[in-house]
Amino acid sequence: MANSILNAGELDGAVASLIDASRAVGHRGCYLECAHHVEEVFRQEFDTSHCSVTSEAGAELARAENAYDHLSLPVMDLVAKALEHDDWCQRLKAILDPPEMVELSDEEETAGDDGDGDGDGDKPGDDDGDKHE
């Protein structure tokens, strides 16, 4: 169950946004702190307009935090619905460990289909003893 939650694409996106926004805020904060030290040493104002991170970084971090805090994962909705039933354990197993689907290649799909709709693979006119005359 933990892997299904941790591997959710929605969670990956929210965490990536949060990391990017927090790095930007940290970068801006360190840049401004460094500029402050330069101002103290040289006793003149340092131009901080060169910082590549805008003052909107804090607002972006707040948006990323809000998105993370209110994240909804579809797998959690499925889990909550499964827990409402008496056979919740079997339902959870079906959600978290679904049967493996095998995709057939075009060649495999057409190998058993002769186009007559009966699925026997016999070509019209083939006499292999399965037809009664």
Side-chain angles (χ1 to χ4, degrees), residues 76-96:
M76 291 306 297
D77 295 335
L78 293 173
V79 168
K81 287 179 185 175
L83 293 175
E84 295 172 359
H85 299 277
D86 290 337
D87 62 340
W88 60 269
C89 188
Q90 292 302 323
R91 289 176 184 256
L92 285 177
K93 286 180 182 179
I95 292 169
L96 302 174

Side-chain angles (χ1 to χ4, degrees), residues 4-20:
S4 295
I5 295 167
L6 293 174
N7 292 330
E10 298 85 358
L11 181 61
D12 287 344
V15 169
S17 295
L18 193 57
I19 289 171
D20 288 345

Side-chain angles (χ1 to χ4, degrees), residues 34-71:
C34 184
H36 176 71
H37 293 300
V38 169
E39 288 175 352
E40 286 180 349
V41 169
F42 292 109
R43 291 188 170 89
Q44 65 182 23
E45 190 173 323
F46 184 76
D47 180 16
T48 58
S49 65
H50 298 7
C51 182
S52 62
V53 181
T54 67
S55 58
E56 295 296 314
E60 182 60 35
L61 178 58
R63 283 190 290 277
E65 288 172 342
N66 187 48
Y68 180 81
D69 290 343
H70 295 94
L71 183 63

Side-chain angles (χ1 to χ4, degrees), residues 9 22 27 82 94:
S22 64
H27 174 79

